[in-house]
Structures are given as structure tokens and as C-alpha cells.
Amino acid sequence: MSAMDLQVLRAFRAVAEGLTVTEAAADARVTQPALSRALHRLEEEIGAELLQRVGRVLRPTPAGRVFKEYVDAALDAYDRGRRAVAEVVDPAAGVVSLAFLHTLGTWLVPRLVTGFREEFPQARFELHQHEENGLIQHLLEATADLVITSGDPGHPLITWRRLLVEPLWLAVPRGHRLARRSRVRLAEVAQEPFILLKPGYGLRSVTETLCRQAGFTPRVGFEGEEVHTLRGLVAAGLGVSLIPSSPDAAGTSGFPIRYLEITDVHGARDIGIARLTGRTLPPVARRFLDHALRSAAVPAADPG
């Protein structure tokens, strides 16, 4: 496959995903008429119309959608192959493709990446944030080498190893009836609205599990997509929430929130790193996995 063939396939994929031919041509550094002719020749070679005009843009035809699946696979395989060769030539200068939970992007992931690059300064990272289900898809579709997530996904194709146990605290507004205490039973807030992450996020399922263990189903007050949002809504007096006691929480001392230790259930979640069991990791990703397993488990900060 020549470089020109690859360029046309990448342009086809870009147009099928919503770019205009003009935008795709600019990305490929060719003229718009030249790219249009190349796409037309591709259709002639395949023997089917792949793109059709809808209004002012091109959209994939049914044949185009089928073809795009194979184009995606071919380009991804080619890119992985180039990357693998580069890592054989210089194993310390490769790319680590890492996906992780949103809640870990403020403390754990930056610490791991920084520590690794101190040892391997030429290593580069391709980072993805997602909720739990999206993380698993990254692994299964081979768009990430490793994912950092909460809890073992229990998937037959995935190997998960624990990095650390992250405590969870009950966050209440400073004016809350329990705010003067340092410890509390989770059952004591069974009737209060909970500020939760949306379904699909690991912290949401952990919260629901702990509440069930405490004998109740949490009453949903509000839903968000980031822990910072949960804290803000708790501070506003809109409900209570289970918050990870990650080090970034310590920076919220000025916030009108109190963090209480939970005594009737084990308020914690496992944080671990996962990979596809049958896939050989690139050398640099293997090194990062070893680094994460060695250095992740440090005591979590008391958010006070």
C-alpha cells in the first residue's frame, strides 16, 4: 500500500466522519479538486458509490459505511505496525496509549505519567478520558494499550491488577446536621438527596452498591459528569455525595464542605490497571505498566 493510497483512505475516513472535502484536503495538504478526483477513483476501484451529497456535505452511503469499517481496521493496523517498528528501533521513545477514568485525571494519572517520563523522557502519551464502559471498549477495540479504572471489569479477555484502594468519604454541606461530626453511618443519610455521577461511571455504581449494603437505595438529587461538579453541588446545599479521597480533594479546604468517614460499610473503591490478556504490549507500554504497579500505591490524603 503506497503513501498515496493511505492518504486517500485517511481522507475518505475523514469525510465519512463529517469533514468537508475542503477540510480533508487541507489536512492532507492537497488541493480540493485533486482529493475529489482521488475519492472518485477510489469509488471506481471499489465498484460502488461510497459518498453521496446530502445538502452541502457528503455522507457515506450504505456501501460506504460498510467499507469504512474495513478502512478503519486497515489504518489502525498500519499505524500500530509503524508504532511497533519504531519501538523496536528505540523502545524507550514509543507511545503509551492510556485511557482512564475522569476522576483520576486530576491526581493519579498526572503523577504516574510525570514519574515515568522522568525515567523515560522520550516516551510520549496518547491519553483518553472516559467512563467505565468506554474504557472497556478502548481495550477491546485496541485503541488503548492500558486503562486505569475502578474495580475488576470481570471480562474474560481482560487482565486487571489492583493499583491502590481509594477511600470514599461522605461529603455534606458545612451547614448540614451532621457537619460537626467526623464519622457517620451511611444509613443516616438514607432519606437525603444524593449528588451522583451519571450511569456508566464507576463511582456511580460503587455509590449505589454501598447504599444497598447500608440498607437503602440512594434518592437521586442531581447527576453530573465530574467529581468537581459533585463537590460544587454539595457545597451549594443540594444534597450529599460519596467523594473519592484523592489528593486533589485536599485543595478544597476553603469549600463549604465537610468530609465524614463512613463506619457502617467499607467506603472505598479499588483502582486498577487493565490490559487485553492475549495482546502483547509494546515495550514502552509494558514499562509503564510495571512503573504504575510499583509507584501507584501511596497513602491517599484525608480531604479534611
Side-chain angles (χ1 to χ4, degrees), residues 15-68:
V15 173
E17 290 177 348
L19 284 189
T20 66
V21 174
T22 300
E23 292 168 332
D27 287 347
R29 298 184 180 180
V30 299
T31 65
Q32 184 270 331
L35 181 56
S36 294
R37 290 192 296 270
L39 291 173
H40 181 64
R41 288 194 297 271
L42 178 64
E43 291 181 319
E44 290 181 336
E45 182 178 337
I46 298 301
E49 183 184 29
L50 301 175
L51 299 164
Q52 62 183 358
R53 186 162 296 281
V54 178
R56 304 178 68 176
V57 297
L58 293 177
R59 291 286 183 261
T61 64
R65 286 193 291 271
V66 170
F67 183 61
K68 182 179 179 297

Side-chain angles (χ1 to χ4, degrees), residues 49-304:
E49 183 184 29
L50 301 175
L51 299 164
Q52 62 183 358
R53 186 162 296 281
V54 178
R56 304 178 68 176
V57 297
L58 293 177
R59 291 286 183 261
T61 64
R65 286 193 291 271
V66 170
F67 183 61
K68 182 179 179 297
E69 294 180 12
Y70 292 90
V71 169
D72 288 342
L75 292 176
D76 290 344
Y78 177 81
D79 291 339
R80 290 198 303 272
R82 285 190 59 184
R83 179 177 143 197
V85 170
E87 288 167 346
V88 168
V89 174
D90 188 355
V95 178
V96 180
S97 182
L98 176 68
F100 54 91
L101 284 175
H102 291 78
T103 54
L104 303 178
T106 58
W107 68 283
L108 179 59
V109 171
R111 178 162 61 79
L112 291 177
V113 169
T114 299
F116 187 74
R117 294 193 68 192
E118 288 175 355
E119 187 176 356
F120 300 101
Q122 296 184 54
R124 292 176 292 124
F125 282 82
E126 181 182 277
L127 301 176
H128 312 271
Q129 285 184 303
H130 230 295
E131 34 72 37
E132 297 284 356
N133 294 335
L135 293 177
I136 300 309
Q137 286 305 115
H138 271 298
L139 279 185
L140 296 178
E141 295 172 5
T143 54
D145 299 321
L146 301 162
V147 301
I148 300 179
T149 185
S150 67
D152 187 342
H155 194 286
L157 300 180
I158 292 174
T159 297
W160 180 90
R161 296 179 67 181
R162 182 182 290 106
L163 293 176
L164 55 90
V165 177
E166 183 181 39
L168 300 176
W169 299 72
L170 181 69
V172 301
R174 286 202 180 273
H176 192 273
R177 60 186 173 83
L178 300 173
R180 293 182 178 275
R181 292 167 52 181
S182 60
R183 307 173 77 213
V184 65
R185 290 183 300 110
L186 189 58
E188 293 181 67
V189 291
Q191 302 304 315
E192 306 212 13
F194 269 73
I195 313 299
L196 301 168
L197 292 180
K198 291 182 178 179
Y201 288 85
L203 185 58
R204 169 66 175 260
S205 60
V206 170
T207 297
E208 291 175 331
T209 297
L210 291 175
C211 288
R212 282 197 299 271
Q213 291 174 359
F216 68 97
T217 298
R219 183 161 63 90
V220 180
F222 293 89
E223 295 178 326
E225 296 182 352
E226 296 181 346
V227 169
H228 289 305
T229 300
L230 305 188
R231 292 182 184 137
L233 295 177
V234 170
L238 300 179
V240 301
S241 187
L242 286 179
I243 301 291
S245 69
S246 46
D248 68 309
T252 63
S253 58
F255 240 30
I257 289 178
R258 288 286 296 164
Y259 295 93
L260 312 179
E261 181 184 353
I262 304 166
T263 60
D264 56 341
V265 294
H266 182 55
R269 64 175 181 171
D270 289 330
I271 302 298
I273 191 165
R275 52 168 294 192
L276 275 183
T277 303
R279 182 183 174 202
T280 301
L281 286 175
V284 71
R286 177 75 244 184
R287 286 191 173 106
F288 180 78
L289 173 61
D290 293 339
H291 167 76
L293 291 169
R294 286 194 314 269
S295 59
V298 297
D302 182 339

